[in-house]
Amino acid sequence: LHIEYPGQICKMPTAVHARVINTGMEASLTGEDFLFYNPTSGFACVNEDQDDDMCLEYEVRFCCPPKEVPQCDNWTAWFDRDNPSVTGDWETLNNLRWENPRQICYKPTAIEARVIATQEEAFDTGEVFAFYNTITGFVCRKQDQIVNTCLDYEVRFCCPNKRMYHCPNDAWTDWYDRDDTSGTGDWEVLSHLRPENPGEICPKPTNTHARDLPQTPQHP
C-alpha cells in the first residue's frame, strides 16, 4: 500500500480499520479469519483459511495522528548535496559541514528531510532510510528500497537560536592567539595559554569560544 499510494499513508500508523466494501461491516464482526490485522503489517484475509474458501472484499484505512514537528527557533537553510543517481541520496552531516562551512552548528538538536520535488516529509514517503538523525545526517540507499531507487531529498538542521557561548556575568577573558596555521595547524591549548598569560585564565573555565581572525590584506 505504501508503494501503490505514495505519500498517503504515514510510516508508523497507530491503528488500522478494515471493513467489507459492500456493506461497511467492520472486519472483526464478519466471523472470517485473518492472517494479520494490525497497523504494522496491515490486513490480510486468505481464502483457504475460510470455511467457504472465499474471503469477503475489504477496504482498509489507517490512523496517522498529526506528526509532531520538531520545535526549533532557528532552522538552517535546506541543503541538497547529492542526487540518488548512484547508490542513493547521501545528505551526511560531515560532508554538508565541509561543503557549507559555518552554516551548521556543532550539535544540531533536530533534523528534517523532505522530497525536493513535492516537499513531502521523508517519513511519509514509505522509503527506508539507513540514517535519519542529528549525528550522521540523512541517507537513503537504493538497495534498501523495494523499487531499487530513492527520491531526491534535501535536509535542514535545528541550531537553537540561543547564546551558544554563555558565560555567567559575561566574565570572559581577553581573546588569545598564540599560534598560526603555518605548521600542523592552530593549537590554542589551555596548557600553553596559561603559562604564556599568567593569572589571566581561571582554574576551571566553564566555557570556551573560538572565532576566526580577519585576514590581513596582502599588499603587492
Side-chain angles (χ1 to χ4, degrees), residues 36 58 65 68 127 183:
F36 48 79
Y58 295 90
E68 294 185 7
E127 294 193 332

Side-chain angles (χ1 to χ4, degrees), residues 23 141 145 159 198:
T23 65
R141 302 186 304 180
Q145 316 309 320
C159 292

Side-chain angles (χ1 to χ4, degrees), residues 174-203:
D174 290 332
W175 290 97
Y176 301 105
D177 174 31
R178 63 165 303 276
D179 191 22
D180 296 321
T181 57
S182 55
T184 59
D186 195 349
W187 297 75
E188 308 293 339
V189 293
L190 199 53
S191 59
H192 289 162
L193 287 166
R194 276 207 176 98
E196 295 170 3
N197 303 274
E200 296 184 24
I201 304 174
C202 58

Side-chain angles (χ1 to χ4, degrees), residues 122-137:
F123 274 137
D124 292 338
T125 65
E127 294 193 332
V128 178
F129 309 122
F131 299 98
Y132 191 174
N133 58 58
T134 56
I135 306 300
T136 305

Side-chain angles (χ1 to χ4, degrees), residues 55-69:
C55 288
L56 297 170
E57 188 173 359
Y58 295 90
E59 59 185 359
V60 295
R61 64 179 180 176
F62 297 88
C63 180
C64 292
K67 55 180 177 289
E68 294 185 7
V69 178

Side-chain angles (χ1 to χ4, degrees), residues 13-220:
T14 58
V16 59
H17 180 199
R19 67 181 183 182
V20 180
I21 291 180
N22 292 335
T23 65
M25 178 182 293
E26 211 287 328
S28 61
L29 300 178
T30 64
E32 294 194 329
D33 295 320
F34 309 123
L35 181 63
F36 48 79
Y37 187 3
N38 60 65
T40 302
S41 301
F43 174 88
C45 180
V46 180
N47 285 336
E48 64 183 25
D49 293 340
Q50 316 310 318
D51 293 336
D52 58 358
D53 293 325
M54 180 62 66
C55 288
L56 297 170
E57 188 173 359
Y58 295 90
E59 59 185 359
V60 295
R61 64 179 180 176
F62 297 88
C63 180
C64 292
K67 55 180 177 289
E68 294 185 7
V69 178
Q71 297 298 310
C72 180
D73 57 7
N74 188 40
W75 287 101
T76 65
W78 290 96
F79 300 105
D80 172 34
R81 64 164 304 276
D82 191 23
N83 296 319
S85 56
V86 186
T87 60
D89 196 350
W90 296 73
E91 307 294 338
T92 55
L93 194 50
N94 282 343
N95 286 330
L96 286 167
R97 279 202 178 104
W98 178 263
E99 297 166 7
N100 303 274
R102 295 189 294 276
Q103 295 188 44
I104 303 173
C105 55
Y106 180 63
K107 289 185 177 181
T109 58
I111 177 178
E112 279 192 338
R114 68 183 183 184
V115 180
I116 293 179
T118 64
Q119 298 189 355
E120 179 184 5
E121 211 284 332
F123 274 137
D124 292 338
T125 65
E127 294 193 332
V128 178
F129 309 122
F131 299 98
Y132 191 174
N133 58 58
T134 56
I135 306 300
T136 305
F138 176 87
V139 175
C140 178
R141 302 186 304 180
K142 288 184 175 182
Q143 68 186 50
D144 298 331
Q145 316 309 320
I146 297 176
V147 294
N148 198 37
T149 189
C150 287
L151 296 168
D152 192 9
Y153 295 91
E154 59 186 359
V155 297
R156 67 177 181 173
F157 299 89
C158 180
C159 292
N161 189 17
K162 62 184 179 182
R163 294 188 64 189
M164 297 175 62
Y165 308 106
H166 175 69
C167 182
N169 299 320
D170 208 28
W172 289 102
T173 66
D174 290 332
W175 290 97
Y176 301 105
D177 174 31
R178 63 165 303 276
D179 191 22
D180 296 321
T181 57
S182 55
T184 59
D186 195 349
W187 297 75
E188 308 293 339
V189 293
L190 199 53
S191 59
H192 289 162
L193 287 166
R194 276 207 176 98
E196 295 170 3
N197 303 274
E200 296 184 24
I201 304 174
C202 58
K204 293 184 178 181
T206 59
N207 208 339
T208 182
H209 182 188
R211 65 181 182 183
D212 56 343
L213 292 173
Q215 299 295 315
T216 304
Q218 299 295 317
H219 299 286

